[in-house]
Amino acid sequence: MKVLCVILLVLLLLILTSPVRFYALTTQVVEIDRDADIVTVEDANGNLWEFEGVEDWEVGDCASMIMSDNGTDTIFDDEILDIRYSNWTLTH
């Protein structure tokens, strides 16, 4: 029992001290590839992100996403964790 408690404590400490951070990102759909099942979205800075699952997505839709920075300072390795449709429209 003590070993299990120590393992759980260590795991909790690792989670709480993790350098990984999460953030929200609002994007707009700019391309749909139905054959490859890929949706391409663009954020307000002009960065393009892709995710699978075209289902009901259409060009012009907005997507609110939860992102992980993977513990680095660069956005190029950030990961999309969750995606939701948003009816708000970006203006450039």
Side-chain angles (χ1 to χ4, degrees):
M1 184 68 170
K2 288 183 182 182
V3 173
L4 179 61
C5 288
V6 170
I7 290 172
L8 290 175
L9 181 61
V10 169
L11 288 174
L12 181 62
L13 287 172
L14 287 172
I15 291 169
L16 293 176
T17 60
S18 171
V20 174
R21 300 289 180 248
F22 306 101
Y23 62 95
L25 183 64
T26 301
T27 61
Q28 189 168 34
V29 176
V30 293
E31 184 179 340
I32 305 262
D33 184 341
R34 296 201 186 280
D35 294 331
D37 196 33
I38 300 290
V39 178
T40 304
V41 295
E42 182 178 8
D43 66 24
N45 293 319
N47 298 307
L48 299 177
W49 305 88
E50 293 182 337
F51 59 87
E52 293 179 345
V54 299
E55 286 106 21
D56 295 329
W57 291 100
E58 297 294 334
V59 171
D61 286 348
C62 287
S64 296
M65 305 189 304
I66 301 297
M67 307 290 291
S68 167
D69 71 1
N70 283 322
T72 65
D73 291 332
T74 179
I75 65 159
F76 300 109
D77 67 344
D78 289 6
E79 181 180 358
I80 301 169
L81 300 177
D82 196 17
I83 305 155
R84 294 286 187 259
Y85 171 82
S86 175
N87 63 356
W88 182 73
T89 303
L90 291 172
T91 56
H92 291 266

